[in-house]
Amino acid sequence: MTSLIGIDPGLAATGYGIIRESGGRITCLDYGVIRTDSGSSTGERLAEVYAALEALIGKHRPEAAGIESLYFTKNVTSAIPVAQARGVVLLALARHGVPAREFTPQQIKQAVVGNGQADKEQVMQMVRVVLGMSSVPRPDHAADALAAAITRLHSTL
């Protein structure tokens, strides 16, 4: 039995998803979004993300992690808060001895959908199918995190 955490880092919203593989069957244990208040300082927001991840790691004890890597096209300044959140995520995982691998959005889409150019809805639908969920996981940050966990699981087999 293997438990993994997937994370889609962000300062405003960090998606997380916990999956378990047992006997060839993959199930979803938990998923959601850690949201921070835009009125708080950056330090306070990063501390909130860190504390929430600490609690999730402590509760679920994942053996490995998959993280969506930093991706930006035009606006470098919008990438800075994501990079800061990513650093907090990596710190929390390292402090708990959880090995992490990063995957680009295209790698995750390829692993989950079979097409690196898939749209968000296709990823969300395939996550639902792979995990045997009755409904599509929402919001998209949580679905992306579950997809990162699935990608990490498949990358270790």
Side-chain angles (χ1 to χ4, degrees), residues 69-87:
S69 65
L70 183 60
Y71 175 79
F72 62 93
T73 52
K74 296 176 185 160
N75 190 351
V76 175
T77 57
S78 67
I80 292 171
V82 175
Q84 292 171 324
R86 181 182 156 276

Side-chain angles (χ1 to χ4, degrees), residues 19-44:
I19 64 171
R20 176 175 289 148
E21 187 276 327
S22 181
R25 185 166 179 252
I26 308 169
T27 55
C28 176
L29 299 179
D30 194 6
Y31 69 94
V33 175
I34 302 162
R35 295 198 183 277
T36 64
D37 182 0
S38 63
S40 298
S41 73
T42 300
E44 291 170 329

Side-chain angles (χ1 to χ4, degrees), residues 42-103:
T42 300
E44 291 170 329
R45 295 172 81 184
L46 292 170
E48 285 179 46
V49 171
Y50 183 82
L53 281 175
E54 285 257 293
L56 285 167
I57 294 166
K59 177 180 178 182
H60 294 289
R61 307 240 182 260
E63 297 167 38
I67 303 172
E68 186 170 311
S69 65
L70 183 60
Y71 175 79
F72 62 93
T73 52
K74 296 176 185 160
N75 190 351
V76 175
T77 57
S78 67
I80 292 171
V82 175
Q84 292 171 324
R86 181 182 156 276
V88 167
V89 166
L90 292 171
L91 174 63
L93 293 168
R95 298 249 347 208
H96 287 273
V98 180
R101 282 193 57 197
E102 294 184 68
F103 304 97

Side-chain angles (χ1 to χ4, degrees), residues 122-136:
Q122 289 173 303
V123 172
M124 293 165 83
Q125 286 293 341
M126 283 306 296
V127 165
R128 181 190 66 77
V129 170
V130 168
L131 298 176
M133 301 171 82
S134 59
S135 61
V136 171

